[in-house]
Amino acid sequence: MTSAEPEGPIDPQSVFLNVPFDEDYAPLFVALITGLAALGRKPRCVLEVPSGGRNRLERIFGLIASCGASIHDLSRVTLSDHLNVPRFNMPFELGIAYSLSQLRPHSFFVFEEKAFRLQASLSDLSGHDPYIHDGSSSGVLRCILDCFGAPSKALRLPTLEAMARRLTQSALRLQKEHRTPGLFHSYLFRRIVLAAVELAKHRGLIE
Amino acid sequence: MSGLGGFSPPGRFYLCYTFAMAKHIVAPATAEEIAQTLGVTREDREIVERILRELGEYDTDIERREPPDIGDAGDFPPPKVRSPKKGV
């Protein structure tokens, strides 16, 4: 390795989630966590990194670099509501993941809601077919199976859909108890992942 | 460098590793390993266990039961109507 390459251990089971933290995206976020937990993956995301601070970007980079894979859902890459400026965070973190994939073992997967939209928004990624989820939880689960499911260990989509429904109930209950307007808080993320892990364990999907 | 030829994965967990956007297959982590990585606390465990119990998760043995395919998994309220996307 050259000195320019990232250092530190890679956890091949950790999957960084580069997704929009929008209310509308909450069902898909829960589906992502469901699918990953069911397959024995560790969902990670920027919610684990405290906001603010001078070295926030370094910590985000370190988190992505520590993951063996990453998912980048570009379906909500739009102009922000109030300032009418493009939202660059997700494409920027996809760029980090791409760079990492050239330097060390890191697989990155691009998710989109609609086919052919990526060619218009990020033509440099031509040749990397995105996974299309149609904006549905079931679509996200299907994409997760396509990206991470082992062919030898069949995990059926209805099983994941039922698990996602139960995790949604759990997430909404957690959100209500914590009186938070949305799911996208560090402690809620941790507890939703823990609930997903418990659901997967109870269904005999992981040990 | 990752790529099609000559790549030797460093971790013993790798069953296979190919270039980006190909399937990423590794041995699954255990529930405890996932919880440790996320820094789960005792309070987290107590809260989650209580909520799952209240939702009836542990009332029946659902291990390996296959539910019917009833479509989309989302139970969140219907999303608000968003303004048309204006591009990147």
Side-chain angles (χ1 to χ4, degrees):
Chain A
M1 280 186 139
T2 68
S3 59
E5 293 177 1
E7 297 177 353
I10 304 170
D11 182 353
Q13 295 153 331
S14 283
V15 180
F16 182 80
L17 297 177
N18 177 19
V19 300
F21 296 150
D22 293 344
E23 188 184 339
D24 292 354
Y25 195 80
L28 308 190
F29 188 59
V30 169
L32 281 168
I33 293 173
T34 299
L36 291 174
L39 290 166
R41 301 301 198 280
K42 303 170 182 174
R44 313 295 303 276
C45 85
V46 75
L47 292 172
E48 299 175 57
V49 178
S51 58
R54 288 181 59 191
N55 60 344
R56 175 173 167 78
L57 185 55
E58 284 81 358
R59 283 179 288 170
I60 292 172
F61 178 82
L63 179 58
I64 301 174
S66 72
C67 295
S70 54
I71 292 171
H72 308 264
D73 192 335
L74 302 186
S75 61
R76 302 292 199 279
V77 176
T78 58
L79 298 177
S80 65
D81 289 335
H82 52 297
L83 291 176
N84 216 31
V85 293
R87 296 163 52 161
F88 285 136
N89 280 344
M90 285 183 289
F92 182 77
E93 288 168 12
L94 170 58
I96 292 175
Y98 175 79
S99 300
L100 286 167
S101 76
Q102 300 301 300
L103 299 170
R104 61 193 335 211
H106 183 94
S107 302
F108 69 90
F109 302 94
V110 179
F111 285 17
E112 247 295 0
E113 181 175 335
K114 297 175 181 174
F116 309 114
R117 185 171 178 265
L118 188 68
Q119 286 91 323
S121 64
L122 194 55
S123 59
D124 282 355
L125 266 187
S126 295
H128 294 273
D129 292 333
Y131 292 82
I132 307 301
H133 56 59
D134 300 318
S136 71
S137 298
S138 297
V140 165
L141 293 170
R142 203 168 44 243
C143 292
I144 291 283
L145 287 175
D146 286 344
C147 298
F148 300 97
S152 59
K153 190 177 181 182
L155 180 57
R156 293 184 60 228
L157 187 61
T159 303
L160 291 180
E161 289 174 332
M163 190 176 144
R165 281 190 290 276
R166 178 52 59 84
L167 186 61
T168 296
Q169 294 172 336
S170 309
L172 290 173
R173 183 76 69 92
L174 281 165
Q175 184 182 335
K176 188 178 178 183
E177 288 192 4
H178 290 84
R179 295 182 182 138
T180 55
L183 297 180
F184 303 105
H185 300 272
S186 60
Y187 52 89
L188 274 185
F189 172 68
R190 204 171 59 235
R191 289 171 186 175
I192 292 169
V193 172
L194 179 61
V197 165
E198 289 300 316
L199 294 175
K201 189 177 176 184
H202 189 218
R203 285 160 175 73
L205 302 176
I206 60 174
E207 293 179 10
Chain B
M1 290 278 287
S2 63
L4 284 170
F7 177 72
S8 298
R12 66 185 173 86
F13 293 109
Y14 280 93
L15 302 180
C16 73
Y17 178 82
T18 55
F19 57 95
M21 299 293 278
K23 217 173 176 84
H24 184 80
I25 308 293
V26 299
T30 65
E32 193 52 41
E33 287 170 343
I34 298 172
Q36 282 183 8
T37 299
L38 270 291
V40 165
T41 66
R42 178 186 290 184
E43 184 187 10
D44 293 333
R45 292 181 193 276
E46 289 171 355
I47 290 172
V48 167
E49 190 178 332
R50 173 179 55 77
I51 285 176
L52 291 180
R53 194 184 311 112
E54 288 172 0
L55 290 173
E57 173 66 15
Y58 304 123
D59 290 350
T60 53
D61 181 12
I62 54 175
E63 190 172 335
R64 300 183 194 287
R65 190 183 68 187
E66 292 289 356
D69 189 351
I70 57 174
D72 194 79
D75 286 330
F76 279 86
K80 292 180 294 190
V81 176
R82 286 181 288 145
S83 55
K85 292 171 182 171
K86 299 173 183 174
V88 180

